[in-house]
Amino acid sequence: MRFFHLSDLHIGKQLHHYNLREDQQYTLGEVISYAEKLHPDAVVIAGDIYDKSVPSGEAVTVFDDFLTRLSKIEPAIPIFIISGNHDSAQRLDYASRLLGSHQIYIAGKAPETEEEHLRKITLQDEYGEVHFWLLPFLKPGYVRGLCGGGLPESYTAAVRAVLEREQIDPEERNVLVSHQFYTGKDISSGEDITPKTCDSELLSVGGTDNVDISVLRDFDYAALGHLHGAQKVGAEHIRYCGTLLKYSVSEAGQEKTLHMVELGAKGAPVKVEKLPLHPLRDVRKLRGELAGIIDAAQPEQRDDYVSVTLTDEIDPYKPKEQLEKVYSHILEVRMDNARTRQKLEFGEEEIRIEDPVQVFSDFFREMQGRGMSDEEAKIVEHVFDRAKGDAR
């Protein structure tokens, strides 16, 4: 059985101040072309369909067009969709029963009561049945009703509570579609696994939303969403497919692909083929002196999204305006030279000073070109003493 694994479409997202609608439509069109050519047995979308819980009308239109074109392929390809942390579960669930009759299966909400269960869709191939379990993004508070009204102690406990009650048969072939931050130990080496993250992702401070990959033991493949860089987590069959597009400068060096997963007989290794994608505009990081960057601009790259770091020792005159003559989509222009590095070093020294009066005294000297008088120093000391008193 072959199926496409994609996630984190983030339809409606902007890259800095640029609207990505055209870029997203172009890349989703390439996914449809692959589906028409290769005709997978299913298309799995592992959450974060939209970039906001209340998507714009434009974003909804883009996704609606994608689903409509995908569903017109004959014979019909089943489509499995779950909600991510950026999605509104209720909005995504709207009309899910009607769409199910057209083989578009949506799971917006995780089970919250004893009567509710994970959505399960079973497909057939030459080796028998394959069960797809749709697990939307969840937080411990969502599943109180499954834990006797008590709050699960962690995200791992919450996910485990949802999965264990389904009594999944490990002798059969099972695929989990999930949108969480999975960590744990490598299955073969036992080493701790910390997945690589990107600037465009939203993760909890301190890793409180981590889910241990041990909860995935009964699945032949885990189609994960949430992280924007494609990677395995602890084993070849536990994978984040990453985004179809680059959504931050930190992703400039990544190669975005469409994952096609192939399941064979029970126990056979999973095969993952990464189909190349060709974005309408790439994201690039450029570094060097202004004249060199302008001279090196290639015609086919001039519409790309570029982050520029200039290393000229003498600040160029209106660098952004000069760059805009050869690059149409500039994300940012930074300076990195002896002067800016000295400022950073000065800032680090300032941070190490613990006495706030001394910090202000140095700041005063930097701004006024002289030290504070005795009277000014007494006023500053009095202000800080009052501030300390109010803090107590």
Side-chain angles (χ1 to χ4, degrees):
M1 178 166 296
R2 300 183 309 165
F3 59 89
F4 287 174
H5 171 199
L6 52 151
S7 76
D8 295 84
L9 306 183
H10 286 284
I11 298 174
K13 186 176 181 61
Q14 291 191 334
L15 180 57
H16 289 226
H17 55 283
Y18 292 107
N19 187 319
L20 295 177
R21 177 180 58 82
E22 287 185 341
D23 304 79
Q24 291 176 328
Q25 286 178 317
Y26 185 88
T27 299
L28 291 173
E30 192 167 13
V31 173
I32 291 169
S33 296
Y34 274 127
E36 292 172 337
K37 178 182 177 181
L38 301 173
H39 209 282
D41 296 295
V43 173
V44 172
I45 308 178
D48 277 359
I49 309 304
Y50 299 111
D51 192 54
K52 296 180 180 178
S53 59
V54 184
S56 66
E58 180 181 86
V60 172
T61 299
V62 170
F63 188 54
D64 177 68
D65 179 67
F66 173 65
L67 284 185
T68 300
R69 293 173 63 190
L70 202 56
S71 63
K72 286 182 178 179
I73 297 174
E74 294 291 344
I77 301 173
I79 304 168
F80 307 144
I81 302 169
I82 65 169
S83 65
N85 57 301
H86 280 256
D87 298 312
S88 164
Q90 291 78 9
R91 283 183 170 83
L92 209 57
D93 256 336
Y94 178 74
S96 60
R97 291 184 182 180
L98 175 62
L99 292 173
S101 64
H102 296 277
Q103 297 195 62
I104 300 174
Y105 304 97
I106 299 175
K109 292 175 59 181
E112 296 180 358
T113 67
E114 288 294 338
E115 293 74 29
E116 297 175 343
H117 287 269
L118 286 183
R119 190 157 197 178
K120 170 189 171 185
I121 303 95
T122 300
L123 301 181
Q124 293 270 161
D125 67 4
E126 64 268 33
Y127 299 107
E129 295 182 335
V130 177
H131 308 295
F132 288 82
W133 301 85
L134 308 188
L135 174 61
F137 174 76
L138 61 81
K139 296 181 179 181
Y142 296 178
V143 296
R144 285 177 182 268
L146 308 182
C147 302
L151 183 69
E153 61 183 13
S154 66
Y155 275 71
T156 299
V159 171
R160 181 174 282 118
V162 172
L163 294 178
E164 287 185 347
R165 65 194 294 270
E166 300 297 336
Q167 298 183 340
I168 297 169
D169 186 353
E171 298 301 316
E172 298 182 342
R173 290 181 297 165
N174 298 285
V175 175
L176 179 69
V177 186
S178 178
H179 190 99
Q180 304 284 162
F181 183 35
Y182 285 92
T183 60
K185 293 185 179 296
D186 187 280
I187 290 177
S188 58
S189 69
E191 296 179 356
D192 289 333
I193 299 297
T194 303
K196 297 177 182 178
T197 60
C198 304
D199 293 344
S200 55
E201 296 158 1
L202 179 62
L203 301 172
S204 296
V205 176
T208 58
D209 57 355
N210 293 13
V211 179
D212 193 279
I213 61 171
S214 61
V215 302
L216 306 176
R217 65 182 181 275
D218 291 335
F219 295 95
D220 298 271
Y221 185 79
L224 306 180
H226 195 33
L227 300 189
H228 292 186
Q231 57 197 293
K232 65 178 182 179
V233 186
E236 293 293 334
H237 68 285
I238 303 173
R239 284 189 173 272
Y240 288 100
C241 61
T243 54
L244 300 175
L245 288 170
K246 299 173 183 179
Y247 286 135
S248 69
V249 175
S250 67
E251 297 167 61
Q254 295 181 3
E255 181 182 359
K256 300 296 185 178
T257 59
L258 172 63
H259 283 41
M260 183 167 69
V261 181
E262 182 175 349
L263 286 183
K266 179 69 181 183
V270 174
K271 298 178 182 178
V272 179
E273 182 179 358
K274 299 179 181 180
L275 306 172
L277 294 170
H278 309 87
L280 182 63
R281 305 176 185 91
D282 204 351
V283 176
R284 301 183 184 277
K285 293 167 70 174
L286 306 177
R287 179 182 178 86
E289 295 186 351
L290 178 62
I293 289 177
I294 291 175
D295 290 342
Q298 300 298 314
E300 66 275 12
Q301 299 176 356
R302 294 190 174 192
D303 285 333
D304 289 346
Y305 299 105
V306 295
S307 168
V308 182
T309 300
L310 298 176
T311 58
D312 302 73
E313 287 303 327
I314 299 176
D315 291 357
Y317 176 71
K318 294 186 176 181
K320 187 175 182 182
E321 285 82 348
Q322 294 190 59
L323 287 165
E324 285 175 337
K325 295 177 182 178
V326 292
Y327 288 108
S328 60
H329 295 81
I330 297 175
L331 301 177
E332 59 189 356
V333 180
R334 300 169 177 266
M335 292 298 304
D336 182 15
N337 54 27
R339 178 182 59 81
T340 58
R341 287 192 291 272
Q342 185 178 14
K343 278 191 174 182
L344 287 173
E345 291 172 2
F346 177 79
E348 290 174 358
E349 291 176 0
E350 293 298 302
I351 290 173
R352 288 195 293 268
I353 298 174
E354 297 182 357
D355 181 6
V357 176
Q358 183 61 49
V359 172
F360 185 84
S361 176
D362 292 340
F363 173 76
F364 185 92
R365 181 182 297 277
E366 179 73 14
M367 293 295 100
Q368 301 297 326
R370 65 175 178 84
M372 291 188 294
S373 65
D374 291 343
E375 183 178 356
E376 289 168 334
K378 289 180 180 179
I379 292 173
V380 171
E381 290 175 2
H382 176 69
V383 169
F384 279 111
D385 286 342
R386 286 284 303 274
K388 290 178 182 177
D390 291 343
R392 296 191 191 100

